[in-house]
Amino acid sequence: LTLNLLRDQLVQMARALNLTTIAEGVETTEQMQLLASYGCSRMQGYLFSEAVEPERLGELLGAQPFFWMRRDS
């Protein structure tokens, strides 16, 4: 199996089991788009934010969510 096929199958299995998938270590827009195409709706990694000091965490958690997928009507 290729790595991309394995990722796709893992996300599909999680969806079939009604589980949420969270991708760790997303660093590029291409990775984000590929994971989104598999149905992975939650991601974290350097693409979204670099590591932050614990003192800043409250500020980030209180901010508006980051919407990376825009849906035009």
Side-chain angles (χ1 to χ4, degrees):
L1 292 176
T2 67
L3 190 54
N4 287 343
L5 181 58
L6 181 59
R7 284 186 199 123
D8 181 39
Q9 293 299 308
L10 286 170
V11 172
Q12 296 288 334
M13 183 173 58
R15 290 179 77 192
L17 295 169
N18 203 27
L19 299 173
T20 301
T21 55
I22 303 172
E24 162 76 28
V26 180
E27 296 183 2
T28 67
T29 302
E30 291 78 18
Q31 289 172 336
M32 178 187 69
Q33 291 171 337
L34 181 63
L35 290 161
S37 76
Y38 295 158
C40 183
S41 60
R42 299 186 184 203
M43 302 174 205
Q44 66 181 44
Y46 196 77
L47 177 65
F48 306 104
S49 175
E50 60 187 28
V52 297
E53 296 295 323
E55 298 79 23
R56 258 196 82 216
L57 190 56
E59 172 191 332
L60 291 174
L61 292 175
Q64 290 291 328
F66 175 72
F67 293 101
W68 52 268
M69 202 173 236
R70 187 174 141 189
R71 296 175 190 226
D72 294 322
S73 14

